[in-house]
Each structure stands twice: as structure tokens, then as C-alpha cells.
Amino acid sequence: MAKNARQLAEQDQVSQGSSGSSTDVLNISEDPSSWLEEHGNYLYRYAYMRVNSQETAEDLVQEALLAAVRGYKNFERRSSVRTWLVGILKNKIIDYLRRSSRKEKNEILEEDNETLDRHFNRFGVWNRVLPNWASEPNELLERKEFMRAFEGCLRKVPEKTRQAFMLKTFENVETEEVCNILGITSSNLWVLLHRCRLVLRECLEKNWAGLEQ
Amino acid sequence: MTEQGQKQRQTSSKDSCCSEKAPDKNGPGLLHCCLSTLSCREYSKLASKKLDAPLSPWEQFTYVVHRALCMVCRRYERQIQAINGAAKSYATRELETHVELSPAAKERLKEAILREASSKEA
């Protein structure tokens, strides 16, 4: 059992009320523990990338798998098992972000001069010429070293900033819903996204060797 | 990074993109930036916002004018577009960083799943 057991979210993607009898059992050939072997690490990496905490990622994977076990008879097999499990996990992650955003109050949501002053002089002009990246943008996605550097840089971004960026770009969640989940205004959201991109770009410049020579 | 690359970087960091001394070598001159009605600082905000939401007509106008004049801002925009593309690809791709459930975590999860499955049978 994970150290911090969490209550399940009230609405699961698959919990739609049981219509089965009390004698319903899971088919032995559809052993849920096989989901752990086949999909556990994938789900874990999916969650870890989004919540940046091993413990939280484990908890969320457990919640998702337990919800899947409970709701398996409602699985209509219109998608693969993995896609279905990821869908459940995604909802669990969003619920987690909604809960944790109420607690996290320390991050600056308004425009902070400190980040911007690092990049621009008093005239609002770049402090220096940004070096060019040697590859075309669409080629970068194929480069493992770039993606590895990107993942490392993303982990260093402050929590709320990273969550905003992740929800908006990874998950393509609508602006209004991102604001709702994180308890912020749309102005706050633009500030967080802008800050995240500035910081990520700067970090990649320092940690990735793919600059134009 | 090579020594040559490091020297290049040090050199470029001394000049702002709108240096009066080298208006064309390193980017548009200070005069150009003043004429564009938008600073690079403000442009960077619009370039970011544009990735997620439409700009207002005035924002779009000032964005287009500044973009035409400022090489560094065009470069910045390409780079954040690449970053955005990398982020969007995570909707479907796997992590490059190798992380896995620990054996202890797997065991805990397995027990929890079997317990849940058993309670359904009961």
C-alpha cells in the first residue's frame, strides 16, 4: 500500500454504476495484475512527467489501476487497454492538480521583474544576442539529447508554472479549464506560460549542446 | 561546447541585440527598435501568448512590425515554438529519461490490485 493513501476522485471515467449482480467476477484471463506488468512503468512515467514526484506518481498510478479494476466491466474496448488506462490516469492527475493548487500559494502569479530583468535591459531590449539552434524545430523532436535536456529543464521549473505549462501544452486543456484547475486568472496563466518558456529556453541553451557553432 | 563556441558566446553576450555600434551585425539598431513601437520585452510576451490565444488587432499589428525588424526576437520565437512542439509531443511519446516503478512500489501496487479484485469477487 502506498504510504499516503488518497481518497478516490468522485467521478471516475469508468465508474458509471454497477448493473451487474453480486456474483460478477473478473475473468481470470483478464488478470488486472497483468496491467501492472504491461503498463505500470508507462503509466508511472506518464504521471511522473506531469507531477514531478515519484511518490505522487505512484499514488496516482495506484488510484488509476484500482479505478480500472472497479470499472472494468464498463470498458467497451473501443480503445486499447493502455489508452483507456491513460485516460483514467489523466483524470486522476487533473484532480490531484486541482487539490494541490489550493494548497500551493507561494508562487508569484503576477509578472515578476526578476525573470524578465535577467533577459532584457532597461530599454526592454535583449541583454544579448540569443545563439541560434543548429537544427530545424521539427528535427529537434527526433533528437534524444534535446528531449532529455528538455525533460531535465522542465523538472527545474517552479511547480505552478510547470503545471500551467503542462496542462496547456501537454494536455491541450482549454484556457478556462486550466484556470479553473489551478485557481488562477487568465492573466496569471499568460504570465506563467511566458515565464516558463523564457526559463526553459535559457536552460536548454545552457544544458544542450545543439547550438549553432 | 568547443572553445570557439564559448568565445563566440562571450562575445555575443557583450552586445545587446540593438547595439548602436553594430546595428546590422548583431541585429537591428536601437533606432529600429524604437521605431517598432514595441520593445523586445513586450514582443516576447506576445510571442508566447500567440501560441495559446489570438492577439488583439493592435497586438497583432505591433507584433508584426517588431518581428520584421528584430532578428533576435524572430529567433526567440522560433525557439519557443520548438519548445512548445516538444511539449505537445508528450501527449503521445515516452520519456527519454529512464524512470521505473521500484520493485517495492510494484509489489505494493500488485497487492492493492489483488485486494481490490478479491473484494469484487466477494
Side-chain angles (χ1 to χ4, degrees), chain A residues 56-107:
Chain A
T56 306
E58 284 174 13
D59 285 350
L60 290 169
V61 169
Q62 176 172 313
E63 283 185 37
L65 287 172
L66 292 181
V69 167
R70 285 186 208 106
Y72 187 64
K73 61 177 174 245
N74 296 323
F75 175 43
E76 294 173 5
R77 292 172 180 78
R78 275 187 250 146
S79 62
S80 68
V81 170
R82 180 170 285 191
T83 303
W84 174 62
L85 291 172
V86 167
I88 300 170
L89 180 59
K90 202 167 154 178
N91 284 336
K92 298 296 180 188
I93 290 170
I94 287 176
D95 289 335
Y96 163 75
L97 291 178
R98 209 186 295 271
R99 289 194 303 268
S100 67
S101 72
R102 290 186 199 125
K103 297 176 200 168
E104 177 62 55
K105 299 286 180 201
N106 294 332
E107 211 166 313

Side-chain angles (χ1 to χ4, degrees), chain A residues 13-40:
Chain A
Q13 181 178 340
V14 293
S15 292
Q16 297 171 12
S18 171
S19 57
S21 70
S22 58
T23 57
D24 276 352
V25 295
L26 287 170
N27 190 321
I28 293 174
S29 66
E30 295 161 335
D31 180 14
S33 63
S34 72
W35 297 344
L36 184 58
E37 284 306 313
E38 289 172 34
H39 310 294

Side-chain angles (χ1 to χ4, degrees), chain B residues 28-51:
Chain B
L30 186 57
L31 184 61
H32 282 130
C33 283
C34 291
L35 289 175
S36 80
T37 75
L38 195 72
S39 67
C40 299
R41 184 173 174 129
E42 293 301 316
Y43 179 89
S44 70
K45 291 182 209 171
L46 292 184
S48 176
K49 186 181 173 187
K50 199 170 188 295
L51 293 171

Side-chain angles (χ1 to χ4, degrees), chain B:
Chain B
M1 175 160 293
T2 63
E3 197 178 334
Q4 188 185 0
Q6 281 175 352
K7 278 185 184 171
Q8 242 179 350
R9 194 185 251 186
Q10 283 167 6
T11 306
S12 66
S13 69
K14 289 178 190 172
D15 306 312
S16 77
C17 82
C18 293
S19 166
E20 286 186 308
K21 290 182 184 175
D24 296 315
K25 184 180 176 184
N26 292 326
L30 186 57
L31 184 61
H32 282 130
C33 283
C34 291
L35 289 175
S36 80
T37 75
L38 195 72
S39 67
C40 299
R41 184 173 174 129
E42 293 301 316
Y43 179 89
S44 70
K45 291 182 209 171
L46 292 184
S48 176
K49 186 181 173 187
K50 199 170 188 295
L51 293 171
D52 305 301
L55 302 181
S56 70
W58 176 248
E59 286 175 335
Q60 180 69 18
F61 170 72
T62 54
Y63 159 84
V64 166
V65 168
H66 186 93
R67 190 172 190 278
L69 298 171
C70 186
M71 176 269 291
V72 181
C73 280
R74 287 197 300 273
R75 186 173 285 177
Y76 173 73
E77 188 170 17
R78 276 200 305 275
Q79 291 173 0
I80 63 169
Q81 284 171 347
I83 287 168
N84 230 47
K88 284 185 187 296
S89 74
Y90 277 100
T92 51
R93 74 181 293 145
E94 269 265 32
L95 275 189
E96 290 300 334
T97 315
H98 187 68
V99 288
E100 269 189 2
L101 284 164
S102 64
K106 270 192 180 172
E107 209 42 55
R108 280 196 302 270
L109 288 172
K110 193 174 175 182
E111 282 170 19
I113 290 167
L114 289 175
R115 239 191 330 266
E116 183 64 36
S118 302
S119 69
K120 274 182 76 84
E121 290 174 16

Side-chain angles (χ1 to χ4, degrees), chain A residues 149-162:
Chain A
F150 173 75
E151 286 164 15
C153 288
L154 194 56
R155 277 198 287 279
K156 295 176 192 170
V157 174
E159 187 72 11
K160 202 143 198 160
T161 304
R162 194 176 47 75

